[in-house]
Amino acid sequence: MVRTRLMGPLSWGWVKWPSVMGTGVLYLLLLSTCLGQDTEECKLSRSGPPATIVAIDEESPNGTLLVENMQINGVAEGPDRTISLSLRDNRDYWVILDPSKQALYLNSTGRLLDRDPPSYIQSIVVQVQCTNELIGTVILHEVRIVVRDRNDNAPRFQQPRYYVAVSELTPVGTTIFSGFWGNNGAADIDDGPNGQIEYTIQYNPKDPTANRTFDIPLTLFGSMVLRERLNYEEITRYLVIIQANDRAPYPSERRTATTTLTVDVLDGDDLGPMFLPCTLVGNTRDCSPITYKANVLELTEPNKVNPLNVTPPIQAVDQDRNIQPPSERPGILYSILIGKPQTYAEYFSLNRTTAELLLLRPIDRELYRRFDLVIKAEQNNGHPLPAFANLQIEVLDENNQAPYFLETSYHGYVSEASPVGTTIATSGSLSAPLAIVALDNDVEETKDPQLQFSLDSYSNVFSVSATGIRRYITLLQPLDRETQDFYTFTLLASDGVQQSFPVTVTITVLDANDNTPTFANVSYNVNLFTDMMPGETVLQLSAVDSDAGPNGQVTYRILAGAQEHFIIGNSTGIISVAPGVDLAVGRSYALTVEAMDNGPAPQRRSSITTVYIEVLPPNNQSPPRFPLQQYNLEISEAMRTGATLLNLQAVDRERDTITYKIHSGDPHGHFALKENSGTLVLDKPLDRESLDYYTLVVTASDGQPDGTSTAMVNIMVMDVNDNDPLFISSLTVNLTVTEEQDNAFVGQVKATDPDLGSSGQVHYRLVNHQKLFSINATGAIRTTVPLDREVKGHYFLIVEAWDGSVDPRRSRLTLSVTVLDVDDNIPVFTQQTYNVNLPENSPKDSVILQLKAIDADLDSNLTYRIRSEGLDPEITRLFRVDPGTGELSVLKVLDYEALKDSEPTYMFTVEALDREGTMPPGLASVTVTIIDMNDFPPVFSQSAYRGMVAPNAVKGTIVTTVTANDSDPAGTPAGLVRYKVDQDAYPYSASIFDVDEHTGHVVTRVNLNEEPNLKFNLVVVAYDDGEPLKENTTLVEITVLQPSVIPVFTQEEYRFAPVSEEADVGTPVGVIVAAAVNQTIVYSIIEGNEGGVFALNETTGVISTAKPLDYEANSSYVLRVEANSMRVVSSNLRVPSKTNTAKVMIDIQDENDHPPVFTTSLYIGGVAEDAKTFTSVLQVQALDQDTGNYSSMIYRLIIPPQPGKDTKKSKDGFVIEPYSGVVKTAIMYRNMRRSYFKFEVVATDNYGQGHSTKAEIVVSVVNQLDMQVVVSNVPPTYVEKNKNKLLSILERYVQDQIPGAKVVVETIGPNRHGDGMEQEDYTKSDLMIYAIDPLTNRAVSRQELYKFLDGKLLDINKEFQPFLPPGGRILEIRTPDVVTSVKKAMQTVGYTEGALLALAVIIIICCVPAILIVIITYRQFKERQAECAKTARIQMALPTGKPGGGTANNLYEELGDNAIQTRSNHSGGGNGGSLDEIDRQRLISDFADRAIAAHRQCVANGGVLNKLPKSESNITFLSDENPLTIKNPIYHEDGTLSSPETLGRSQRRRDLLGNFSPSRKGLREAWLRLSSSGGDVGFGGYSGSDSGWGSGGGHSWTLPSRLHRRDMYDAVRRQVVMDPVQWELELLKAEFKESKDAGLDSGFDRGLDSDLMGSPSLEPKLTVKEQARQFEQQALQEMRQRQNRDSRGSLSPDFLLSIFPESPQHLKQTPTHTIPFVLTRDGPPSIIVTQSDGGTPPPSHKPTPPVLRRFGGNLTANPSGDDRLQVHLEIIPDPPSTPPPPPPPMTPPPPPPPASSPPSPTSPPPQHPASPPPLPPPSPHSNQTKKQAPPPPPPPPPPPPPPLPPPSSPSLLRPSTFVLPSLSEVPALRPVSLRPPPPPLPVEPEPQRRELKGILKNIQNIADIEKSVANMFSQIDRKQIPLKKVMKGRASIDSLDSLDLDLLAAEGGGGGEAGSGGGEGGEGGREGTGGGEDPPPPPPPQIRPNTNMNSIVEELEKRFPSQSTML
């Protein structure tokens, strides 16, 4: 613009348009850009459909997020707002918009989002309106909210109750109810599955059988079918609880509702008649068989007795008593079906309809005595089930025979202790009752003659049973034998007309121990003198027991106080001085004496007394004493005078004259006592009746002062029958009795008899008129029948009295009896019943009835009156009887309506009385009925009625109600009020309104459509049906209201949320609301609240609970409520209309308020042993009164752990299905029969979340041995179908025997029959059952179960009939197939089979030992074969060709006899010799092989085994020819075991081994004799003189040691083969160990080292080379000898065992003395004890004779004169476990010294090594010595073998000393490094040797092997571990390696490194120094760790590969 201005006006046009155009273009560009941006606002930023669809659950809470973000472009809030958001179409404002977040929320404040009716909110659609604030455009976004259904509504039944009636004859499977189909069932307003209904039947605790009787198979339709047959006679009504539940996907979320279906069972004609009376059988509905009885007198005319009287009356009724209608009920027809005798139809008939029994003709009893008939009752409609009963007709005889007793007398017994009611017994044992039989010929003998028994006396003590052929006498009162010991009376029998002859009955009373022995005094005082002699009587006690027999026998004893000074006679009661007792002056005693009877132990009685005894000084003038202090006599009163009764003899110590007198007790002088003799005699006759007991006090006097003593004599006078019964004269004899009195008292007589017992018992009887009068035991006379004065008025009776003795005495008395007349007839009315009808309002005093009575007595004066007893006082006010005329009149006018009763009837009794008589009045019954007359019209309660009605009221609306009352009686036609409208009064009103005829409700006849405020008048008539008809009228005024005045409910039907049954009283249920214009509304409940359960607030409309709720009582309520305005209510009116009434539905919500209840507290079941896992055992069931889930159970088991088992590893025996309650097995139960399991089951309702309860379960394990098979003739399907009912019947019969028993079904299947029970018959069935006893929890035995059922088979079949098809029954009860087959198999084994079986058993028993022998022999053979194979392999590994060599005959020779080392121990040395190379190689190979074998066999766990066989009783020593068997010294017969080690003691060894066991000193002096064909070499003991070795050759032999170790101490004793040499070595071991334990080391060692071995100069010292060379030379000589001579030798056991004789003098020598040695030129060879395989048994053939070794050279004497011979025991050791050191260079040994010059003890000769010095004690510096010891020089080469000496003759042999070395001389197996170095030897050039092959490449000489072996064993010994377990019982290898190594080490001392490899340890120690110098004693070797045995063996086998064998 600036520029334009500068250009001027001319340029304005050109400049202006381009600028404007550019600016416009720019603006348009900017505008288009902005418009483009603004058009994106309000659009959705997301892709997809434009509408937003979300889902939400109904009833979601307020504020629920619907849409989180609408995703609309733009900003709706803030300063940069570009859009504005709002909602459109938001109906009911369900959605809230948050513009800032573009979020939508649910708005449900004060309401619920309900998808269900009546809201029906299934979806909500709103529009989100977006306005573009930039450009003003509007975009609508649709949001669709889908409301998802929730299961928030429970199903609701349309009716509170349902009803159906079903006939009991309806077949099973019939649909009986379909009332839930359509709209009549339950409805659920939820959607989908939540609204689908299914129906099920729930358990009803009030009707437990309903759920199993009915079923709903199709749950969606709800049709109920019949599941079990109905029976009206058992159950007439079922209350079936039907549950409706929705089908929500999750069962826990499903909602339920229940209703009750009432099923009434209608009676059907399914049962036949039954006879009455019916006595049910047990708990069944079956009647017990009934028998009707009738009697007919013989020859009686029918017209006199028809119809016959039958007891009870014959009557039958139909069991179906409620068949509807009654007109269809059938009638009953009677008939006689069958009878005996067959001619019964000629005499009797039965009325078809009335069942009257008629007699057709007279019956002769001689022909027929009884008729047994079967009568039948059946329905007249042809029903097939008749009823039957028995009818017994007795033909009675004329009474023309008198009764009679079968016995003439009876004798009975009864104990006096018997209680009242005890039956008299027939014997003294009281075991059987006394039966009295009286018969009547008029009655059959098998029938009760029905006699009457009477007793003439003692009727108050005894009675006779009233009925039965056999009568029994019982006790009426207690008895006392001491008072009366027997009773006698007479018995009469009468049939009412005839009387029997009397019989005598005697009843003896048996004694019972009911009396206690009683002393005369409580205490006694006695003075004694010290000079009383033992045995003298102190006092005699007497206790009296009134009982008889043992009960009265008294036994005495002193309980305390006697101090052993007095004794008492058990039966006499005499207390005397005990023998040997001297009484001391001043002593006093108080004796407690007991008197006890001898009755039965539990019933014994006793009493005590005290005897005080005082000891006085001696009295020389003591009075005479009677032997007894008391004498008892029984004499008869009939005894003659002068008879001697008793001899009383007193004893006087001074022997003075004794005078006897009766001091007192005989006042009448009946007795006399002779003065000098003491004889008591009868002086006068006795009369017991005057005095029956005397107590005489007699004295005995010696004439001195105080010289009198007394005694008591008790005399009992026994009675005799010497008196007649005498009647009392004061009694009257003129008696009277009133007529017509039965058992009337006439009078009483009494007679007395002074005699005692039965002689004094008086009995009475009537001589005449016995049928009219009777007399009892007391003399009372009574009438037996009523007397009639008009027949006879006077009687004379004769009464006789007699006593009860055997010969009774009698007397008679005559009585006069007069019969008095009485008024004995009562007045009798002409009618017994009077009925009269009295109309109401009858005049006063009207006569309504005339009464008339007659009295048969003369001069009777009758009076009539109303009986006052029990009379209503009202009667006397209404009626009156004239006393004289008997006229009945009414006293006042009666008004029927004023009477209280609906049917006024008056009943009373009138009587006619004789005024002067005593008879009761005659009675008659009068009934007066008041008849109503219609005298009252109906009367309305109001004169006018008002009503209000809505203008639009529908037809039938009740406007008001009129009420009229009639004073006439209710229920009568005159009192029945009915209503009607008077049509003529107001015709229009009558056309609109009507009145109900019966209720008086004024209702609308049509739907009204009237104007408001109109009024209608209606006349209502009330009338009755009386005669004449009477009526009354009233006016009803009806007003039509304004519509606005009538309230209107907001809903026609209110349905509130369910109310919990646990809700408190006053809990609000809901609110009803009605509205009206300007009206105050009053609410009321008009229907449905009968129980007052709910309360309605009349102003607020709040319905609340008024009473506690119970879902189980009522699950829902339907109330009808009404709302009226206050104006209407205040007028006491109602205006029912469509709008002001509503229905309120209130459902009760069930709560879990009832715990489950098990059907029983104990469930009993069984399981078979062979039951598979998860087999069903039983089913438990718990019931809950609650419904729905609250009644749904979950079951679980509580099984306690079994004792003694790990609970973590143990498995429960049972499991349970949690929902069904079926208990199943979880394990197998084999071999568990007779055991049981006891555990608990817990039921928890609400699917395990609610209440719980427990029950106990017992499951018993059974098998078919406990079962029985019930075989029936019906198919198994029938049995399976009715299994539970059949089982209950069987169970009931078992429970009759075992209460609570449980019967369990095992299987139901077809009947098995035929051989082996293999065939099946499906027309029959087998029901296998067993029973469990709840007391033992185990199965009832099969036999008992059979007894329980088989004996009741008929009864069981009868009860089974309703459940089985026609003809179905049980055939038998049998045992199961398995049991039967086992029994048959056992029975089929006959004698032959049994014999064969026994033979087979014997053969097997005999073959077992043979088989064992073969096995053992075969094993030994295989072991020997293995040894031979091993030897063969070793030989094959050696070079071939052995010139001059002999082959070993067996393995013993190979490993033992061919491996003999021979040494020359004389000073002269011997000729050295070398073996041929081949023989030498063979010897070396043999040695290595045996070393390896010894190591493997003898070492186990690092220990060497050398124990003796402790379980063998004998040991066999092998010799050349005859084996010697001796007792095993370590075996004991008592079972204890020993060993040579423990038996090595000197004393015990001699006892066990005899002379075969050498002692320590005997070893030094023993003789060794070796004999052979060539000569004998004798080794003699020291004899005290110079002697030497005899010349000649000697032979020695050895066997391998076979010392078997046995740890099985209880093994069978058998002989054991044992090497005698090994045995001696074992004894040596024991001896040395003994010496060590006893502390004799010094003496013993010194004795053996010094004395036995001699000085060091006497012992030749050989190096290892020399010893090996000697070994080779000796072996070569032996092989050559075996080729040139017979190898058989003779070395007997006696010779072997006599080598070491032992004598007592040997034991006395000191162990330290020295015996000089006598050295010869050629000594005997060393004895080699080899170790062989312990597993190698002795050879089965005779052992190969040992090879005799010949020892050459003559035995020359020693210059010292001592003959000495040193025998070395060498042990070939096992191979070492460590590699041996490299072999030193071989150097030849020096030549042996001559025999004549033994080396000096101090300086050893240079030509040969010196003997070792005695072993010094160990030094602590030995370790340093060993460390500083130089390496050993090379050993010299072996010397050449010496020449064989010639055979020595027997003459050259003489005894010489043989000394075994000390055990320290035995090789101590130590490493070479621990041995002392040998002395330096001259080095000689080694001769040319042949190249060695195989194993010999690495071994240069035998010394190297020996060193390696010794080194190995030293390592083993250091690491040796004691054995803990025997590897094999048979493997035993013994060697000397098991000796006490510590002892060996102590004895062997140290050793140089170059010590003797083959020599002993001690020897090596002595060889450790050269030139005779004694080196310091080396310390014992240190035990160093070494490698294990395997490595050692492997190393050894590497060095000797060709000899390796399998470990």
Side-chain angles (χ1 to χ4, degrees), residues 561-863:
Q563 304 179 14
E564 299 182 357
H565 291 174
F566 301 94
I567 58 176
I568 189 170
N570 291 338
S571 58
T572 62
I574 296 176
I575 301 175
S576 58
V577 179
V581 174
D582 294 331
L583 300 178
V585 177
R587 290 290 301 271
S588 62
Y589 302 89
L591 308 185
T592 301
V593 181
E594 178 191 49
M596 178 184 293
D597 59 29
N598 289 323
Q603 303 172 2
R604 289 182 181 173
R605 294 170 174 260
S606 63
S607 63
I608 60 174
T609 187
T610 304
V611 178
Y612 299 97
I613 300 176
E614 189 76 22
V615 181
L616 302 177
N619 184 4
N620 294 331
Q621 300 298 326
S622 60
R625 291 185 179 274
F626 288 99
L628 300 177
Q629 296 295 316
Q630 184 174 349
Y631 298 87
N632 297 315
L633 292 178
E634 290 183 358
I635 60 177
S636 173
E637 65 174 330
M639 181 173 287
R640 63 178 178 82
T641 58
T644 300
L645 304 180
L646 185 65
N647 190 7
L648 299 173
Q649 293 293 327
V651 178
D652 188 75
R653 299 174 61 187
E654 292 80 17
R655 304 193 179 204
D656 295 333
T657 302
I658 301 174
T659 303
Y660 300 93
K661 292 182 180 180
I662 297 176
H663 181 267
S664 63
D666 187 16
H668 302 291
H670 288 88
F671 305 95
L673 182 62
K674 294 184 179 181
E675 195 173 72
N676 298 325
S677 63
T679 303
L680 181 66
V681 296
L682 182 63
D683 194 37
K684 292 181 181 181
L686 298 176
D687 185 10
R688 191 206 60 81
E689 289 72 25
S690 299
L691 186 62
D692 61 350
Y693 191 82
Y694 297 86
T695 301
L696 305 182
V697 177
V698 298
T699 63
S701 175
D702 58 0
Q704 302 294 333
D706 298 331
T708 303
S709 61
T710 62
M712 185 180 295
V713 180
N714 298 318
I715 302 175
M716 175 72 69
V717 182
M718 306 304 296
D719 183 54
V720 294
N721 190 13
D722 56 350
N723 295 281
D724 293 332
L726 296 177
F727 287 98
I728 299 177
S729 60
S730 61
L731 294 177
T732 180
V733 295
N734 296 317
L735 306 176
T736 60
V737 63
T738 305
E739 67 168 337
E740 298 298 338
Q741 290 187 3
D742 187 14
N743 200 26
F745 178 76
V746 178
Q748 186 167 8
V749 297
K750 185 176 182 181
T752 60
D753 190 336
D755 292 326
L756 188 65
S758 60
S759 300
Q761 294 179 358
V762 180
H763 304 278
Y764 306 95
R765 76 181 185 92
L766 296 177
V767 179
N768 57 352
H769 300 299
Q770 296 175 355
K771 296 182 180 180
L772 299 179
F773 300 92
S774 65
I775 187 170
N776 61 11
T778 63
I781 302 173
R782 293 180 177 271
T783 61
T784 58
V785 294
L787 301 179
D788 191 353
R789 189 196 63 81
E790 289 74 18
V791 176
K792 189 174 183 179
H794 195 82
Y795 297 90
F796 290 97
L797 291 180
I798 299 176
V799 181
E800 182 181 76
W802 81 95
D803 57 29
S805 66
V806 179
D807 187 11
R809 303 172 73 97
R810 306 175 186 272
S811 62
R812 290 187 178 187
L813 177 66
T814 302
L815 302 175
S816 175
V817 180
T818 302
V819 182
L820 302 179
D821 187 23
V822 296
D823 183 15
D824 55 354
N825 292 285
I826 64 174
V828 178
F829 282 94
T830 56
Q831 292 181 229
Q832 293 298 316
T833 302
Y834 295 91
N835 295 313
V836 61
N837 293 326
L838 177 61
E840 67 173 332
N841 304 324
S842 295
K844 180 181 179 183
D845 297 328
S846 298
V847 177
I848 60 176
L849 184 63
Q850 176 67 50
L851 303 175
K852 181 65 177 177
I854 300 175
D855 192 345
D857 290 329
L858 299 175
D859 300 328
S860 61
N861 187 6
L862 297 182
T863 298

Side-chain angles (χ1 to χ4, degrees), residues 1268-1271 1345-1346 1349-1350 1353 1370-1375:
Q1268 288 288 354
V1269 178
V1270 180
V1271 182
L1345 184 60
Y1346 178 82
L1349 299 180
D1350 188 69
L1353 204 55
I1370 296 177
L1371 299 179
E1372 63 171 339
I1373 309 290
R1374 65 172 177 83
T1375 55

Side-chain angles (χ1 to χ4, degrees), residues 1665-1666 1787-1791 1806-1809 1834-1837 1879-1885:
K1665 249 182 181 180
E1666 293 173 348
T1787 58
Q1807 62 267 20
H1808 61 83
L1881 299 174
V1883 179
E1884 297 180 1

Side-chain angles (χ1 to χ4, degrees), residues 227 257 263 306 330 364 488 545 593 598 662 677 714 740 833 911 1068 1079 1097 1146 1208 1217 1230 1347 1445 1697 1766 1889 1909:
R227 187 177 179 183
V263 181
N306 279 337
D364 186 1
T488 302
D545 192 331
V593 181
N598 289 323
I662 297 176
S677 63
N714 298 318
E740 298 298 338
T833 302
E911 59 184 15
Q1079 298 292 327
N1097 191 310
I1146 301 176
K1208 297 182 179 179
E1217 292 184 356
R1230 300 193 181 278
K1347 293 178 182 178
L1697 298 177
Q1766 199 169 20
R1889 301 288 300 272
V1909 172

Side-chain angles (χ1 to χ4, degrees), residues 294 296 308 336 343-350 357-361 363 371 373 391 393-395:
V296 59
L308 294 178
I336 299 177
T343 58
Y344 69 90
E346 300 177 5
Y347 297 95
F348 301 99
S349 67
L350 195 65
L357 181 63
L358 302 177
L359 178 65
L360 301 181
R361 53 186 290 190
I363 306 173
F371 290 84
L373 309 180
L391 174 59
I393 305 174
E394 296 289 339
V395 180

Side-chain angles (χ1 to χ4, degrees), residues 1794-1815:
S1796 60
S1797 59
S1800 171
T1802 56
S1803 60
Q1807 62 267 20
H1808 61 83
S1811 298
L1815 183 65

Side-chain angles (χ1 to χ4, degrees), residues 1670-1731:
Q1670 286 185 358
F1671 181 84
E1672 294 174 357
Q1673 292 172 0
Q1674 181 180 352
L1676 182 59
Q1677 290 176 0
E1678 290 173 351
M1679 286 186 292
R1680 291 175 179 173
Q1681 290 172 1
R1682 281 197 295 268
Q1683 294 175 0
N1684 300 325
R1685 62 175 175 84
D1686 184 8
S1687 61
R1688 179 176 181 181
S1690 175
L1691 199 58
S1692 64
D1694 296 335
F1695 168 77
L1696 289 177
L1697 298 177
S1698 63
I1699 291 177
F1700 305 109
E1702 186 178 60
S1703 58
Q1705 60 267 24
H1706 295 161
L1707 299 176
K1708 297 177 183 179
Q1709 298 178 7
T1710 60
T1712 56
H1713 79 284
T1714 304
I1715 300 175
F1717 276 31
V1718 178
L1719 298 180
T1720 60
R1721 185 175 56 86
D1722 293 328
S1726 298
I1727 299 176
I1728 306 299
V1729 179
T1730 62
Q1731 301 176 7

